[in-house]
Amino acid sequence: MTSLPVVNQPPHRCGALVDHLARRLRLRSESVLAPLGLRPRHLIALTVLRDQGGSSQQDLAKILEMDGTNVVTLLNELEAEGLIERRRSPADRRRHLVELTDVGTKLLARAEFALTAVEDEVFHALGDDQRETLYELLQQAASRTGAEACRENTAGC
């Protein structure tokens, strides 16, 4: 009997798996955010504003990696619902400062509560320690910019 040749297995590639889980999370998240009148981009902007205690429109555009025109549209939507407030900067009248309103803070809390149930559903097979490790690994991966990754990639970009 001849033995089969040993084939070197490629290392695990997680891009497709991360994409699959992201898709599941996105679909479920959209379904729980819609009744609250929110879309994922609204949630991200509200979270950034809460975590930073407000922001200038320009800084928010950089953080969200969005064109300034698109940020204005996003902020118009949030302001129309009373979730944020824009005002001129007293230091520089050309700049707008953006802050969450009390209504925005409360809606964000409701959305995060609903999204906790989504995460519990998608990651039900992981224990608390595993979820914490996954979070830390994803945070580490997200903290590197594309340029940093390219510099470290020996194959180049």
Side-chain angles (χ1 to χ4, degrees):
M1 175 187 265
T2 3
S3 62
L4 295 173
V6 176
V7 176
N8 289 333
Q9 294 293 321
H12 292 290
R13 301 286 182 229
C14 47
L17 186 56
V18 169
D19 184 54
H20 172 72
L21 288 172
R23 197 176 320 217
R24 284 178 55 198
L25 275 169
R26 186 172 43 255
L27 290 172
R28 288 292 300 127
S29 296
E30 288 171 355
S31 73
V32 299
L33 291 174
L36 299 174
L38 296 173
R39 296 189 344 225
R41 68 189 207 135
H42 296 142
L43 180 77
I44 294 166
L46 294 174
T47 302
V48 168
L49 291 170
R50 184 213 38 220
D51 293 350
Q52 295 205 350
S55 176
S56 71
Q57 282 186 194
Q58 187 177 20
D59 289 343
L60 190 59
K62 287 178 189 172
I63 292 166
L64 298 176
E65 297 181 8
M66 290 176 70
D67 177 78
T69 304
N70 292 332
V71 169
V72 169
T73 301
L74 170 66
L75 295 177
N76 287 344
E77 293 169 359
L78 296 173
E79 191 172 41
E81 296 299 320
L83 304 177
I84 61 144
E85 178 179 82
R86 282 185 281 196
R87 56 185 166 77
R88 295 263 181 212
S89 168
D92 182 352
R93 301 290 297 159
R94 296 170 293 174
R95 293 174 52 138
H96 281 95
L97 299 177
V98 184
E99 293 181 332
L100 275 182
T101 62
D102 288 340
V103 172
T105 301
K106 290 174 185 170
L107 186 61
L108 179 57
R110 287 180 56 205
E112 288 176 331
F113 182 78
L115 290 171
T116 297
V118 170
E119 285 189 16
D120 287 346
E121 178 185 319
V122 173
F123 297 116
H124 72 276
L126 301 179
D128 290 341
D129 289 344
Q130 291 172 313
R131 287 185 195 196
E132 186 62 32
T133 299
L134 176 62
Y135 178 79
E136 290 168 4
L137 291 170
L138 291 171
Q139 201 171 32
Q140 182 180 350
S143 70
R144 291 181 24 181
T145 66
E148 290 170 336
C150 284
R151 282 192 299 271
E152 293 175 13
N153 184 354
T154 56
C157 290

